[in-house]
Amino acid sequence: QVRLVESGGGLVQAGGSLRLSCTASGTISSIAHMGWYRQLPGKQRELVAAITRGSSNYGDSVEGRFTISRDNAKNTMLLQMNSLESTDTAVYYCNAEIWTDSSHLRDYWGRGTQVTVSS
């Protein structure tokens, strides 16, 4: 069983910063891919940032403001969010593709953490 737990969400003023974290635990052989997604009010889920061993990528709306990082030893992923805008208000979800054994690569999601940016 694999669990992803997000933390770090909250209320922040426009222009401020937040740091989100996601930690994976359970039966993990290795983590192939991790990423952050968000769902804005009334919108579909969208990519925020994703990271694998060799590269990272960002959604157009957060490029230059957010930074994704990963600590493989701790099975933890961070999202540093700077220059936050009211349009960043959303529920942020952690996603990971995890090998639970040698033949099973599965997609997992955290419960989400609310980020609210006030203007």
Side-chain angles (χ1 to χ4, degrees), residues 13 22 25 44 49 58 73-74 109:
Q13 295 286 333
C22 172
S25 62
Q44 293 193 106
Y58 297 87
K74 298 179 180 179
W109 291 91

Side-chain angles (χ1 to χ4, degrees), residues 4-118:
L4 302 179
V5 179
E6 304 100 333
S7 64
L11 176 65
V12 65
Q13 295 286 333
S17 298
L18 284 174
R19 190 182 192 185
L20 305 183
S21 66
C22 172
T23 298
S25 62
T27 305
I28 300 172
S29 294
S30 64
I31 300 177
H33 174 91
M34 298 187 79
W36 290 96
Y37 292 77
R38 69 186 185 185
Q39 186 167 9
L40 279 67
K43 303 290 186 178
Q44 293 193 106
R45 183 181 62 191
E46 65 183 31
L47 172 71
V48 177
I51 189 168
T52 186
R53 287 183 177 179
S55 64
S56 60
N57 61 88
Y58 297 87
D60 291 341
S61 63
V62 308
E63 182 74 47
R65 298 187 297 120
F66 293 7
T67 303
I68 190 170
S69 62
R70 177 177 168 182
D71 186 333
N72 293 321
K74 298 179 180 179
N75 291 330
T76 297
M77 175 179 62
L78 303 176
L79 183 69
Q80 179 66 47
M81 304 187 294
N82 298 325
S83 301
L84 285 162
E85 304 167 354
S86 60
T87 50
D88 294 317
T89 295
V91 178
Y92 286 71
Y93 296 93
C94 176
N95 171 252
E97 293 179 304
I98 296 174
W99 291 97
T100 55
D101 57 36
S102 62
S103 61
H104 292 86
L105 177 63
R106 300 183 186 276
D107 190 59
Y108 296 91
W109 291 91
R111 188 174 180 180
T113 185
Q114 177 71 49
V115 172
T116 302
V117 184
S118 64

